[in-house]
Each structure stands twice: as C-alpha cells, then as structure tokens.
Amino acid sequence: MYKQSKFNLYFENGGVTFLYNSHTGVFVTLNKEYQDSFEAIRNKNFKNIPDQHIEKLKEAGFIVDENTNEYQIYEYLTNKSKYSNDYLGLTIATTLQCNFRCPYCYEDHMDSYFDEDKEKNLVDFVFKNLEGKRDLSITWYGGEPLLQLDMINRVSKQLIEKCTEEKINYHFNMVSNGYLLTRNVAEHLVNENKIESVQITLDGGPKTHNMTRILRNGKGTFNKIMDNIKEICDIIKVNIRVNVSQDNIKDVHELFPILLENDLNRKVSVYFAPVTSHEGSCQSVTESCLRTEEFSKWETELINYADRLGFDMGKLYPSNLGGSVCTAVSDNTLVIDSNGNLYKCWNEVGKDHLKVGTLSDGITNNERYFNWIGWSFPNKCYDC
C-alpha cells in the first residue's frame, strides 16, 4: 500500500493542476487520468489504478510506501551532508577593512590583514584539513576581498598546486562589492586564481543603492558597479544580490529596466535577500528590516514584475538540496578572518568573542562549536 508524500504541494492555477515535491524536486502538471489516480491514492482507494500510474508517481516521489518515515530519511540525508568527510568548505575574509560604508553592514571595519605568519598558518591549516578530502571550496570574502588581491594570489597559487598534486577538486568564488572589479582584475581572477563566480550587491536602482552602498566619503557607487558588471559578465559568472528592506522596496523595481537596457538579460543571475537584524549588528537599521513573511510577499511580486518585463529570473521553483543545510551547522565548513580566527557563521566574522578557534590552535571553543554542529530540525518543521 502507498500514501502520498508529506513533501507534496498540490494546487490548481488557470484550470491546470500542478503537483510539486520539495524532497525530490519533481514538478509536473497532471492530466485528468493522473488526477483521478492521485486522488484515489490520497483517499486510500487503490482499486482500478493503472500500474503505470503507481510506478510513475512513486518514481517521482509523489507517493511512498505506507510505512516509510520520510522525515527520518531527510534527517539521515541532512546528517550525511553535515558530517561528510569528503568536502572542506572555507570562507576566507582577506581583510575586515572595506572601501564601502554600508549602514546595514554587520562588520566592524578594522585595519586587519593577513601578515606573513598568518598567511603561512592559513595555508598550513588548509593543507592539514585537506587530508582525505575530494573537494575544496573557497569563498573569498571581506570586508572587501579585493583590497588584498596580492594575498589571494599567493594563497590561491599554493592551494591550486596542492589540489592538482593530490587530485582534489577545487571551486573558488568571491563575494565582492564590485567597485574594484574591472575587466583586467576579473581576467586575472579567472586565469590565475581560478575564480568561477562572483556575488555583487545592487540595492535596487540608483536612488536607493547610492544611499546604502556608499564609499567611505559617502558618494554613491551604482554607475561604477554597473559598468564593471557589463565589462566582466562574459568572462566570469555574476550573481547579483539585491538586498530588500522597507526603505528600498519600491526602488528595487527600477533595477530591472536598467539591467535590460544594459543588455544583461540572461548574462547575469539575480536573487533577492531581506535585510535582517543580527545579534550585535544592524541595530541602526532594525526598523528597515523585513520579517520572513513580509519579504516572501515582496519577493514573489518582484519576480513576477521582472518576468513581465521579460527579464529571465532562471528556474524559480525550489530544487532538492539533498539534505544540505546552512554551512554554519556543517562539520566541514569554517569562516576564517584576517586575524586568523575561526568562526562557524559569516555574520560573526571579526567578533573575537564569538570565535570557535584559531588557525594556529585549531578548534578551542568546543562548547560553541558543538552548539552549532548540534543543530537539528525544530519541532515545528515536522508539522509543516
């Protein structure tokens, strides 16, 4: 006997019946015959259902064996991902300093850089933790990582040589504000440092962006960043993050006509992220922050707006994450700041009292480390 999956979403729109399973990632339309079969299974009426229908619905994950505990399976996949020993993922803040002064930034911009000793400790730490690994993922971060391009050059060269020698797959990416990312710099990052993609933030159109993504002297940055994106999008994958707050929701709409005018449709990807208030940070912009429910409504509206204009937002429905969760709760990922401190969460970088260890000593704050790693699904998730 079978039952419908707890991960099914069944709905109708425009006279068409849709069925989506958030575990398998399968998304289909149902014709009348399959609708009848699926409805019969939901009502535990298994008479006269074609074997082919049972086979196809089961293959897609829409129905499962009656005794299957799907949450148990997902817990297994999550733990498998969390505790995998095949992969090492590191986010490295080359410096805590930045050429921007965004009012919602959660970091304290200190003059902190990797000196020669800390750089050696970083390479030694990565080499030591690469033993037995098949994959290495590095995200260069900051502050603004390009303020320390020479450091990225030196470290990347050693990591690439090591991975090539040990036959370890490597993937290097970057989070940058984009202001210094000229074509020459991008070509260097791709050819010498094997950077595959870069995330750049645009806070809507020029009006609101130039109030929040500002240089140290308070001047706006939209036009410079837009020019850089146009210059580099053919040689490196550009992911544009749009921070959405109470203050810029309306102006975010202005971004898409500009992207279209600059011939960036299908050349860049765009996604939205809410401005949120983190512990010990963002307090000056708390009133601008959006709750998840508020953000989700605006996100849907913005995606529909972009679609109406003809801007390709890519595949919009959620895909199966295979049990993957936030990197902060995974045993195989760490954030490293330019003081040589180790953290579990990006939002804590540079806050000395929140570190879990150092490059030279390894994990020293076991209580904090295992508090992150010990995360499990909240009880409310089992009723969702």
Side-chain angles (χ1 to χ4, degrees), residues 325-330 333 344-346 369 372-373:
V325 290
C326 179
T327 57
V329 301
S330 297
T333 60
K344 288 300 295 169
C345 178
W346 293 34
Y369 184 86
W372 279 106
I373 300 301

Side-chain angles (χ1 to χ4, degrees), residues 88-94 112-129 138 140 151 155 159 333-343 352 355-365:
L88 177 65
L90 300 174
T91 299
I92 303 173
T94 64
S112 172
Y113 307 92
F114 276 91
D115 58 27
E116 186 175 348
D117 289 338
K118 285 186 287 188
E119 200 171 298
K120 182 180 183 304
N121 287 341
L122 172 62
V123 174
D124 290 344
F125 180 85
V126 178
F127 282 8
K128 178 182 177 181
N129 285 277
I138 299 287
W140 297 106
M151 176 266 183
V155 173
L159 297 185
T333 60
L334 286 165
V335 182
I336 304 170
D337 75 5
S338 48
N339 289 316
N341 293 321
L342 307 178
Y343 303 86
D352 191 71
K355 67 184 180 184
V356 297
T358 65
L359 287 173
S360 54
D361 298 326
I363 303 300
T364 56
N365 190 339

Side-chain angles (χ1 to χ4, degrees), residues 75-141:
E75 283 181 341
Y76 163 75
L77 292 173
T78 299
N79 286 330
K80 184 179 179 181
S81 174
K82 282 174 61 177
Y83 300 114
S84 169
N85 197 42
D86 295 336
Y87 164 87
L88 177 65
L90 300 174
T91 299
I92 303 173
T94 64
T95 176
L96 298 181
Q97 193 51 265
C98 188
N99 52 336
F100 280 21
R101 286 298 181 269
C102 308
Y104 53 64
C105 184
Y106 52 81
E107 293 184 9
D108 296 322
H109 297 305
M110 300 174 287
D111 287 320
S112 172
Y113 307 92
F114 276 91
D115 58 27
E116 186 175 348
D117 289 338
K118 285 186 287 188
E119 200 171 298
K120 182 180 183 304
N121 287 341
L122 172 62
V123 174
D124 290 344
F125 180 85
V126 178
F127 282 8
K128 178 182 177 181
N129 285 277
L130 269 181
E131 293 181 10
K133 302 293 190 295
R134 291 188 302 188
D135 296 277
L136 170 67
S137 174
I138 299 287
T139 297
W140 297 106
Y141 191 59

